[in-house]
Amino acid sequence: MRAQWIRKAALLAVLFLVVPAPAAPAAVAASAPITGAGLTVDFYTALDLAAQGVAESTIGGSGHVDGDVNLKVAKGSSLTYGSELTGGRVLLLGGVRLTTATDTVLISGMSVTIATGVITAKVGGQVGVRVGQVTPAGIRAVKPARSTTVTFKLAENGITLDDDFAAAVNDALGTSLSTGTAADATLDIDVELVRGLAPDAALLAILGLDADLTATELLASTVDVTLAGS
C-alpha cells in the first residue's frame, strides 16, 4: 500500500513539472478613428512655383488656410495602438491642381503612414508617388480642459518634400521644379478618448493619465506632452 502511494506521489510530481506556466497575456492591439485638421502645407513656396509660372488651386473639398493648402482628415483614417502608439493611416480629403499655360496635373489621394511619417499621393497618372516625409521629432499630444478629444501633432518640425514628387510634377508639366523643406507645414489629427460609455484606458495611459479616469474627470484634465519614444 505504501509503495502504491509513493508511485502515485511520484507521478503527480512529474505531471506538475511538465505542466507549462500560463503564458503572459499579449498586448491587445486596438484602433480608433481619426478626424481633424489634417495636413497644412505651403506647396507654392516649397516648390517655388512662381519661378516656373505654375498656378496652384485646391480640389475635392480641400482649401486654403492663410494661403497654405489644407487637406482635412478623410473618413477611413485610423490610429493603432497598444501600450503605445503603433501606427495607422491618415487619409487626406481633396487635393491640389497645378497648372502652367499649357498643362495641368492633379495631386490627389494623399495619405500618411503614421509609423514612418511617409506621405504618398497620386500625381497625374502616377500612383503611390512619395510626396515627402514628416521631419522626425517627438509626437506632441494636446487636450484642453472641457474636451475629450486629443490632438496629435505629427509634424511639429515640418515636412521634407521628396525628389520623386518634384520629378512626377515635372514630368506632367514640363517644368524643372526642385523640392525643399516645408518648415511651417503641420499635420494634426484628432482622436476621441471616450469609446462607448467610458474613456479608453489604453489611450489615457499613453498620454500619462490615470487609466481609471471617469469621463467627468477626463473633461477636467489637460494634456500637453511629447510622447516618450516617439
Side-chain angles (χ1 to χ4, degrees):
M1 184 72 174
R2 178 179 176 80
Q4 185 180 9
W5 180 86
I6 292 173
R7 285 196 300 273
K8 186 176 181 180
L11 178 60
L12 288 172
V14 171
L15 288 173
F16 178 77
L17 288 173
V18 298
V19 172
V28 177
S31 66
I34 297 170
T35 58
L39 176 68
T40 300
V41 58
D42 183 0
F43 284 122
Y44 199 79
T45 300
L47 293 172
D48 197 11
L49 297 179
Q52 300 279 321
V54 179
E56 172 246 87
S57 58
T58 58
I59 59 173
S62 55
H64 286 89
V65 175
D66 296 329
D68 297 348
V69 171
N70 174 235
L71 297 93
K72 296 186 183 303
V73 177
K75 290 182 179 179
S77 303
S78 65
L79 181 75
T80 59
Y81 56 95
S83 58
E84 59 184 24
L85 300 185
T86 56
R89 197 166 187 81
V90 185
L91 308 177
L92 297 167
L93 182 67
V96 179
R97 177 189 290 108
L98 300 180
T99 306
T100 65
T102 56
D103 295 292
T104 295
V105 64
L106 301 183
I107 303 162
S108 60
M110 200 173 297
S111 66
V112 187
T113 301
I114 294 175
T116 61
V118 172
I119 305 167
T120 58
K122 180 180 179 183
V123 181
Q126 299 185 47
V127 298
V129 175
R130 182 169 167 143
V131 174
Q133 185 170 16
V134 174
T135 304
I139 296 177
R140 185 178 169 210
V142 178
K143 186 198 84 67
R146 297 180 297 280
S147 173
T148 59
T149 299
V150 61
T151 299
F152 291 106
K153 296 180 173 293
L154 305 181
E156 288 279 83
N157 283 7
I159 291 171
T160 301
L161 299 180
D162 199 274
D163 289 342
D164 287 351
F165 177 48
V169 173
N170 289 333
D171 185 57
L173 298 181
T175 50
S176 55
L177 301 170
S178 58
T179 52
T181 299
D184 295 328
T186 60
L187 178 59
D188 293 352
I189 62 173
D190 294 340
V191 178
E192 175 58 50
L193 294 174
V194 175
R195 308 290 301 279
L197 299 177
D200 186 313
L203 284 174
L204 295 188
I206 289 170
L207 298 174
L209 296 172
D210 186 341
D212 295 324
L213 284 183
T214 65
T216 300
E217 292 169 330
L218 176 60
L219 277 170
S221 302
T222 61
V223 173
D224 192 341
V225 298
T226 299
L227 302 183
S230 59

